[in-house]
Amino acid sequence: MSIHHHKHTHMTIHDFNAHKHYGWDRDFKPIAEVDSGQTVSYEITESSGGQFSRQSTAADVLNIDFEKVNPVAGPVYVKGAQPGDTLEIEMIDFKQLDWGWTAIIPGFGLLADDFKQPAIKTFNLADRHKAEFLPGINLAIKPFPGTIGVALPEEGNFSVVPPRKNGGNMDIRHLTRGTKLYLPVWVEGALFSIGDTHAAQGDGEVCGTAIEASMETTIRFKLHKGKTIAEPRYEIPGPPTPEADSQGYYVTTGHGPDLYAASQNAIRYMIEHIVDTYRVTDEEAYMLCSVAVDLRINEIVDAPNWLVSAFLPNSIFK
């Protein structure tokens, strides 16, 4: 048996492959049942679903099977959960990080038209606090689940790729230890699933991948009866990026009537800056933006143009 109970309050779900699914479907059979207040640990496989290894090359990126990308563990049936309730998920811990990867996948990412060749970079995550991107460039390890959500009320299988009203592939880098995520419940039992764990990411995940890494993820469920929300919300217990803020940032901006296009330009200018300043390749700079640069909307009221900034933390350069 690969689901173990301890003292009725803590459950561990081993053997990810036996308990994974693709997409969201209200008709998936639950793999386990939990009570409000229960803690569950999941052993989660990174988002390639085991297709990549430490030795993977650009050729492996070209050959990736998209049908097997972004598997999630679940669903878990939360006893007492009914449509209209809110399910709180508290991030308790993230452990057992070993290695990770970031890739440029042709046709995917904010600058897909600029970067048409595949690339992959692997990371040693043995140090619990930092990962070397390149010599002299170190990223803070801040693990979180990229995909976390509940079943949708509509029938059928819905792709896991876009975020939705049920949560899903939100890639919110702030869902780190100590954070509480609130999800609207759409079906009986909520049918909660989780996966796509990341060791680090910037706000935007601009190349389409973060530092994708397998890990043990521990969360606690809490049901809020009769509390209804339309879309996910979350609470963080302190400043979101203290490891970066103290050293300051270099910031590029993009403007225009389209926030997406403005974001593309802000990242293009940031890539230009990183390449000029740190003598890395365009591809390395793009991946660095995905794992370390934060996009922020500065202004969205002065028509016809909005403004986006890309924040590069000085703290990663030693």
Side-chain angles (χ1 to χ4, degrees):
M1 183 69 179
S2 54
I3 298 179
H4 297 300
H5 291 265
H6 309 284
K7 307 188 197 79
H8 305 292
T9 55
H10 190 248
M11 178 190 298
T12 303
I13 298 179
H14 306 286
D15 191 2
F16 181 84
N17 288 322
H19 297 107
K20 69 173 190 256
H21 65 83
Y22 299 94
W24 305 101
D25 191 330
R26 58 175 297 167
D27 293 325
F28 283 152
K29 280 199 164 27
I31 61 167
E33 292 191 0
V34 299
D35 294 302
S36 179
Q38 196 157 353
T39 301
V40 178
S41 293
Y42 296 82
E43 293 179 356
I44 292 173
T45 298
E46 44 70 34
S47 63
S48 81
Q51 294 185 73
F52 293 158
S53 72
R54 288 177 193 264
Q55 286 74 43
S56 286
T57 64
D60 297 312
V61 178
L62 271 187
N63 293 325
I64 193 168
D65 181 351
F66 281 103
E67 297 295 307
K68 295 179 177 163
V69 162
N70 216 341
V72 289
V76 165
Y77 184 101
V78 181
K79 294 177 198 164
Q82 294 291 341
D85 294 340
T86 290
L87 181 62
E88 171 191 318
I89 307 295
E90 183 179 357
M91 308 302 154
I92 303 293
D93 205 4
F94 301 90
K95 293 192 293 208
Q96 297 181 357
L97 284 73
D98 182 26
W99 72 281
W101 61 270
T102 301
I104 299 174
I105 301 170
F108 190 55
L110 182 67
L111 301 183
D113 292 342
D114 302 14
F115 291 88
K116 296 187 170 161
Q117 298 305 310
I120 188 167
K121 173 162 188 50
T122 58
F123 298 82
N124 177 2
L125 303 177
D127 180 326
R128 292 185 65 99
H129 304 293
K130 64 181 194 300
E132 184 180 85
F133 183 84
L134 286 168
I137 306 179
N138 289 300
L139 310 173
I141 292 178
K142 298 189 71 179
F144 69 95
T147 302
I148 183 164
V150 293
L152 287 157
E154 297 82 11
E155 283 193 13
N157 187 295
F158 295 85
S159 167
V160 75
V161 176
R164 304 175 189 273
K165 65 186 179 185
N166 66 323
N169 189 22
M170 298 187 289
D171 292 316
I172 296 170
R173 64 165 298 199
H174 307 294
L175 298 183
T176 50
R177 187 175 174 174
T179 304
K180 294 177 178 178
L181 172 68
Y182 301 95
L183 296 168
V185 175
W186 300 103
V187 302
E188 181 192 319
L191 299 184
F192 170 88
S193 302
I194 184 172
D196 184 30
T197 42
H198 297 160
Q201 185 199 290
D203 272 327
E205 198 193 23
V206 294
C207 87
T209 53
I211 298 185
E212 310 291 328
S214 301
M215 65 186 77
E216 181 186 285
T217 298
T218 302
I219 61 168
R220 183 185 293 125
F221 294 91
K222 185 176 179 185
L223 189 60
H224 297 269
K225 294 295 299 176
K227 164 71 176 167
T228 302
I229 57 175
E231 296 195 46
R233 306 174 180 185
Y234 58 101
E235 283 187 90
I236 59 177
T241 50
E243 73 291 340
D245 292 341
S246 60
Q247 305 289 315
Y249 296 85
Y250 187 91
V251 185
T252 54
T253 69
H255 81 280
D258 180 324
L259 271 181
Y260 190 84
S263 299
Q264 289 179 307
N265 282 334
I267 292 296
R268 286 184 181 115
Y269 306 146
M270 183 56 76
I271 290 170
E272 186 181 286
H273 165 72
I274 293 170
V275 170
D276 286 351
T277 310
Y278 300 102
R279 302 291 174 225
V280 300
T281 67
D282 282 14
E283 285 181 339
E284 287 167 339
Y286 184 31
M287 287 193 269
L288 184 60
C289 286
S290 198
V291 296
V293 168
D294 290 329
L295 283 174
R296 300 189 190 181
I297 299 169
N298 299 113
E299 184 274 294
I300 199 167
V301 290
D302 295 325
N305 293 333
W306 327 130
L307 194 73
V308 176
S309 286
F311 277 64
L312 173 70
N314 296 329
S315 62
I316 66 176
F317 302 104
K318 293 286 185 268

